Structure formats: C-alpha cells, structure tokens
Amino acid sequence: MTPPPTRSGPGAAGKRRPRSYAAAKIRTAVLTQFGHVREAAGTLTPEQLSGPTRLGDWTVRELLAHVSTALGAVERALALPEPAKAEVAALDWPFGTAANAEGIADRGRALADGAPDIAALLARTEERFTEILETTADARPLAVGAGAMSLADYLVTRTVELVVHTDDLNDAVPGLDVPFDRQALAACTRLLADALAVKAPGASTEVRIPPFAVVQCVEGPRHTRGTPPNVVETDPLTWIRLATGRTRWERAVDDAAVRASGERADLGALLPLMA
C-alpha cells in the first residue's frame, strides 16, 4: 500500500489483545471485493487505464496491477520456507507497511508493464488465489513483511489493501462506483481502528465508526459511564481515508465528515496511521 507520506507509528500490537475475525467470512470477503475490482477493470477504456490516480505518479493500470499483487503476495509467501509458527497478528501489519512501500510499488509497476490485458491479469490472479484457499488451512504460517503470520490473519490485512485501493480506483475514475463488500469494509475499518488504539493507548477518547467499530484511546482521565467527554465520530470510508493519508484530519473536520468534541478529541497528530 502506498498512500501519501506519513508519520511512522509503533509496531507493537502486543500491548492490545487482537480482535478475532471469522476466517470463513474473511475469505469470502476478500474474494468478493477482488471480484468487484476485476469486473470493473474489464469495463475500463485504454484512456481510463492510463489516467492518473491520487497515488503520486501511479496510473490506473498500475493501481490495478498493485491490487493483483495484494493477493499474489499469498502465493509468493507460500513459495517460501514455512515458518515454525505464526508469531504476529493482523494488528501488527499496519505499522510495518512503510518499510516495504518502495518494493511493493516497484513490483506493481513491473507487473503492469508486463500485462497488456490488465483484466486478464486480475482474472488469473483470482483463479490462482481461489485454488490456494481451497488447499491451504487458515492456521498455515506465512513469512510476510510483518513477520510470520497465519493465513487467516494475513487475509484480514488483504481486506485493507482491497478496500483502500477500491476507494482509490473510484476516486481515479469518476462514475465507476466499484461496490464495497460489507464484510471487507467492516474488517478494514476495525483493523485500522484497533491500530489507532495501539498507537495511542488510553481511555479518555471514544472513537465511533458506525456501524462497525468503537475504540477507546488517548491517555487521560478514564471514562466509566454516561456520555464520554471526548468523542470522535465518522463514517467507515472517511475513517479509512484518514488512517491511510488520503484525507487530512483538518479537512475532514472542516467538511463535517468528522464530528469531534472534547479537548482530547483532536486526532490530527496521530494520523495517518500507515503508509
């Protein structure tokens, strides 16, 4: 994932108990969201594919190639020696993406250059990925950038890649309106909300992202009952854009996409969370 430059975050999810995800639902969500992107790619004209995106100098074609690599990473990991056990969870992943951003971007560009038919590339990736899911157990450890992670946890991170880049694609091609799978959107929202709670541990501020997530964060007096003194509320896509640097905090507040009340409700210094 390669959004605009961001401040680095802690890579210490161990201080927070990881949220559990239903593995079967996550598998379905990843396949469904990827399928939405693949279908949309088949409708794009050469002019649209060569158009710009909000990701620096990436074209739409390169963005779609990167989406392919997001699932292709599972196949690449399976080709490596199997780690003895999974040592990190999905919640560790957001804090390690910046270190791998350059290599990921180069891989996506090379794949785009070698794939004249981007829709066919996505179709092949989907076919191989489906076969992998049919033959690989959820608990199988994978050697990935964040460390040794189970397939089940790694697939949760794929919901972030797919949802974020679906939003990038919709931004780049007005009127395309690729849909978001509800389960993929929920998992992406929750993982990034939990990452905020890891980065800013505490219980003085309540962050609400209905209908998917509520987390407490930021050091200060602990709230125990009644209306919290510090509340932030926004919708899932706005939250995802804030967490990944697509939208700045000040702009979201000015546009009323975020409602923030209380002296500890300004999250601007904590965002974005990942690169």
Side-chain angles (χ1 to χ4, degrees):
M1 180 165 306
T2 312
T6 178
R7 291 176 287 275
S8 60
K15 296 181 180 180
R16 181 180 176 87
R17 186 175 182 178
R19 185 189 299 265
S20 61
Y21 296 86
K25 291 183 178 180
I26 294 297
R27 284 176 172 236
T28 299
V30 170
L31 276 171
T32 301
Q33 192 60 50
F34 189 86
H36 290 331
V37 174
R38 173 187 52 74
E39 290 173 3
T43 70
L44 299 180
T45 66
E47 291 75 18
Q48 288 172 320
L49 288 169
S50 62
T53 70
R54 61 188 176 190
L55 301 178
D57 60 351
W58 281 23
T59 64
V60 171
R61 175 185 292 278
E62 289 168 338
L63 170 59
L64 289 168
H66 177 73
V67 172
S68 177
T69 69
L71 292 198
V74 177
E75 185 175 14
R76 292 191 298 275
L78 286 170
L80 298 173
E82 181 177 347
K85 63 178 179 178
E87 297 178 340
V88 298
L91 190 50
D92 296 277
W93 175 80
F95 303 110
T97 55
N100 301 316
E102 185 175 350
I104 291 171
D106 290 344
R107 188 180 298 118
R109 289 192 181 95
L111 190 58
D113 291 342
D117 187 340
I118 200 72
L121 169 67
L122 293 169
R124 290 193 299 272
T125 299
E126 183 178 45
E127 182 179 2
R128 290 197 299 269
F129 183 72
T130 301
E131 293 172 354
I132 286 170
L133 292 187
E134 291 173 349
T135 58
T136 309
D138 292 322
R140 204 298 196 172
L142 304 177
V144 297
M149 185 182 299
S150 71
L151 174 64
D153 273 346
Y154 194 57
L155 291 183
V156 176
T157 74
R158 301 304 85 188
T159 68
V160 179
E161 289 278 0
L162 292 173
V163 167
V164 171
H165 290 313
T166 297
D167 191 44
D168 291 332
L169 182 59
N170 284 337
D171 177 79
V173 186
L176 189 61
D177 295 330
V178 182
F180 293 93
D181 175 77
R182 179 180 174 84
Q183 186 64 45
L185 184 62
C188 176
T189 301
R190 290 165 181 159
L191 182 59
L192 294 177
D194 289 345
L196 173 66
V198 168
K199 185 173 184 177
S204 71
T205 302
E206 185 167 283
V207 179
R208 302 170 178 172
I209 313 162
F212 298 133
V214 177
V215 296
Q216 293 186 339
C217 59
V218 182
E219 292 182 349
R222 183 179 182 85
H223 169 71
T224 56
R225 65 178 61 184
T227 302
N230 306 288
V231 176
V232 174
E233 185 167 339
T234 189
D235 63 276
L237 281 178
T238 297
W239 167 243
I240 291 164
R241 292 164 188 161
L242 286 166
T244 60
R246 270 68 173 173
T247 297
R248 305 303 300 180
W249 172 261
E250 295 79 7
R251 178 178 177 180
V253 172
D254 290 344
D255 291 345
V258 169
R259 295 166 293 285
S261 61
E263 62 180 12
R264 290 183 172 83
D266 186 343
L267 304 182
L270 299 171
L271 299 170
L273 297 174
M274 59 180 293

